[in-house]
Amino acid sequence: MGEKLPIKTVMAIIVDNRKNVAEKVQKLLTGWGCLIKTRLGLHDGVLDNCSDVGLIILELVGNSEQHEELCRKLNLLDGVSAKYMDLSFEENR
């Protein structure tokens, strides 16, 4: 019989117009920092050829109400789109 492993919550955030909105996103994520276990930020380009669109991937802790509220607040920012999902797997042992 399989053992149910813990649920993992992952949030993906697309930030358009990074140069204008990144500071607001950073401030919001800092305020909710105790929920963020892992954070990965990605964007194309280097030096003078830096993309204005970025992707942030978060692994979250906490409860679903907190995840929902963080997502809602991010989506209120112009040029930001955030979604999250819960992942769980069963493992046969």
Side-chain angles (χ1 to χ4, degrees):
M1 183 152 135
E3 177 183 330
K4 186 148 181 140
L5 297 176
I7 293 173
K8 297 289 186 180
T9 302
V10 177
M11 181 178 289
I13 307 161
I14 296 176
V15 180
D16 193 13
N17 200 4
R18 278 184 337 108
K19 293 173 188 157
N20 292 328
V21 77
E23 189 174 330
K24 292 176 186 175
V25 171
Q26 178 60 38
K27 186 175 181 180
L28 187 57
L29 293 179
T30 298
W32 289 79
C34 289
L35 291 182
I36 300 170
K37 182 177 179 182
T38 307
R39 176 178 171 173
L40 174 64
L42 306 166
H43 68 277
D44 293 331
V46 291
L47 300 174
D48 294 336
N49 193 21
C50 210
S51 170
D52 206 27
V53 178
L55 172 64
I56 301 169
I57 300 171
L58 305 176
E59 177 188 5
L60 300 175
V61 297
N63 62 52
S64 59
E65 290 83 14
Q66 293 169 312
H67 304 158
E68 186 176 318
E69 183 64 10
L70 173 58
C71 191
R72 186 188 71 77
K73 288 184 179 236
L74 285 163
N75 282 313
L76 288 173
L77 299 175
D78 283 337
V80 176
S81 178
K83 294 183 180 178
Y84 70 96
M85 65 179 157
D86 294 324
L87 301 170
S88 65
F89 301 93
E90 287 189 22
E91 182 176 69
N92 291 322
R93 292 185 179 209

